[in-house]
Amino acid sequence: MAHIVQVGAGSGGMVVLDLVAREPQVKRITLIEPDVYKPHNAIRHYFPQEAAGLRKSELARQWLAAHRPDLEVQCLEVDLLDMSAQPKIEAAVASADIGVCAVDNEPAKYHWDALMRKYRKAWTLGEVLSGGIGGFVHVFRPEGPCYGCVASALKRSVEVDSAPPPDYSQPGGPVYEVTVPASKASISVIASLHALVTLELLQNPDYDPGFTCVLLALRKVPQVFDEVLRPYRFRIERMRECLFCGEAAHRGAAEDLDEALAQALDRLAHA
Ligand SMILES: [Zn+2]
């Protein structure tokens, strides 16, 4: 009985949720989504304008009940980063088979990554580039590189607001969060790939698509993407010096303190 824990049911997340829920091996879904549906969401979402004012989690629950009445659905209407919600979130993560990340802010992605590594769960992430010119799908495993390793390898900026205009001088170059709205078509293509990879990974934990991250070009953009529908595959290794999953992260804080103290005493001894 497969249990998927997903964060985010926005315009992309809802596509992923719908597609993974269609597969009979998925028996249980936990959705973390605190947002309220707004009138402007309707243009890229499954739900009508009249649904504005309701929680996205409630709308998702109704959608799933209509299409998979046998599915067990739990909604956590909490912010992923809310400290008081962590026990509930961690309980869901601990019992899940796989995680799905469909949020578009960096702190939430890093937090999700930390949760997934803590409970040693594989997870997937989909990201649409600004303007919908392309998008990423990432596959994370407990023993593999973390989100920090991947972000660093792809040289991505986490400073979105102060970031210069997107400059995809080469695939895998700086990538920013969605700032120019993407079309529903672009969002759906990347979300569908995200769902596909998630289902493969769920079916076979050893599933190796041949990449850690795949970047699919959806639009021809001068000096960025020469061809449409071309995938760029990235195999990314765990970084030894990674602050989140590398050797430094595994050394306890106490050990660091001991080391600092020893060095300080050493300096005094030689003063
Ligand atoms: Zn790392």
Side-chain angles (χ1 to χ4, degrees), residues 146 148-149 242 244-246:
C146 75
C149 288
C242 177
F244 304 100
C245 75

Side-chain angles (χ1 to χ4, degrees), residues 35-51:
D35 289 354
V36 169
Y37 197 67
K38 308 219 175 55
H40 73 261
N41 292 142
I43 192 78
R44 290 184 186 80
H45 230 289
Y46 288 175
F47 314 118
Q49 288 247 343
E50 303 82 76

